[in-house]
Amino acid sequence: DIQMTQSPSSLSASVGDRVTITCRASQGISNSLAWYQQKPGKAPKLLLYAASRLESGVPSRFSGSGSGTDYTLTISSLQPEDFATYYCQQYYSTPPMYTFGQGTKLEIK
Amino acid sequence: EVQLVESGGGLVQPGRSLRLSCAASGFTFDDYAMHWVRQAPGKGLEWVSGISWNSGSIGYADSVKGRFTISRDNAKNSLYLQMNSLRAEDTALYYCAKGGFLEWLQNWFDPWGQGTLVTVSS
C-alpha cells in the first residue's frame, strides 16, 4: 500500500499568514492527489484534485503543487474560516487502495 | 444540489451485524461510482469500500475484506454497506461519498454525506 505522510501534524498561525502543508507519498503517485478540509463536526470537503486543480467554489487563496512523491497545499492568506484539519489523499495505487495522510490541524495562534 | 444522507448506524455488540444506507439525490446516481469512508473518534480518514456504477467492480480495504459487503440499488438511488462480524475497531463515523464517473478507480471523493455513527461495544 502507498503510505501518505503529512507534515506538520499541527500548526499554529495567524489570520493573514501564508501557510504550507506537505504530503509525502511512499512512492510516486503521478499527481493523483486530492486535498480536503474538515471542520469540527462536519464532513470533509474537497479543495483540490490532481494535485493542483481547484475544486469549483473553493477560494483562490488555496493552491496545490508538487510532483512524484512530494506535494504541498498552500493557503496564501489565512482567513478565520480556514482554521480546520486538512487531509491529503492519494488515488494512484493499483489495485485501488485509497489512503489518506494523518491530517494537519491548523489552529489560530 | 448533490445530497448524500446516511442512516442505519447505532450501538451493536461485537460479532453482530449492521446495515448502513446512503440516499443520494441531486445527480444521476447510476453514472457514478460510490464509496464508504470511515473516521474513528478523534482519528483520521480511512477508505472502506468502493463500487462502480453498475456494481460490476468492487473493492475493499484489507481491514474489512470478507466482513463487509458494499452494494447499490440504482433504481432507489441508494448505496449500502452490510457489516458483519463487527469488531470494536470498526467503531467510527461512516461517510458515503460520491466518486468518479462510472468507475471506482482513481477517484477523489466529492461530496460527502454527514455520516452515521457505528459503535461496537458490549
Side-chain angles (χ1 to χ4, degrees), chain A residues 1 32 34 36 38 42-46 49-50 55 87 89 91-92 96-98 100-102, chain B residues 35 37 39 43-47 60-62 65 95 104-110 112-114:
Chain A
D1 294 357
S32 298
Y36 300 89
Q38 186 178 33
K42 300 293 187 182
K45 174 189 171 185
L46 178 70
Y49 60 94
E55 172 68 354
Y87 294 93
Q89 175 232 331
Y91 52 90
Y92 176 79
M97 195 64 66
Y98 300 103
F100 293 86
Q102 79 277 18
Chain B
H35 297 265
V37 180
Q39 186 170 34
K43 302 297 184 182
L45 301 166
E46 180 188 18
W47 174 77
Y60 298 97
D62 288 343
K65 202 173 292 182
Y95 295 102
W104 68 282
L105 311 175
Q106 296 191 315
N107 286 183
W108 53 88
F109 309 126
D110 179 52
W112 304 49
Q114 85 289 348

Side-chain angles (χ1 to χ4, degrees), chain B residues 16-47:
Chain B
R16 302 298 290 264
S17 299
L18 206 58
R19 188 195 196 207
L20 306 183
S21 300
C22 172
S25 61
F27 66 104
T28 305
F29 182 71
D30 54 9
D31 272 351
Y32 289 91
M34 296 293 295
H35 297 265
W36 289 99
V37 180
R38 69 184 180 182
Q39 186 170 34
K43 302 297 184 182
L45 301 166
E46 180 188 18
W47 174 77

Side-chain angles (χ1 to χ4, degrees), chain A residues 16-40:
Chain A
D17 284 355
R18 179 183 180 90
V19 165
T20 298
I21 297 168
T22 297
C23 188
R24 173 166 289 176
S26 58
Q27 65 185 73
I29 57 171
S30 295
N31 289 0
S32 298
L33 186 89
W35 289 97
Y36 300 89
Q37 176 193 65
Q38 186 178 33
K39 296 182 179 179

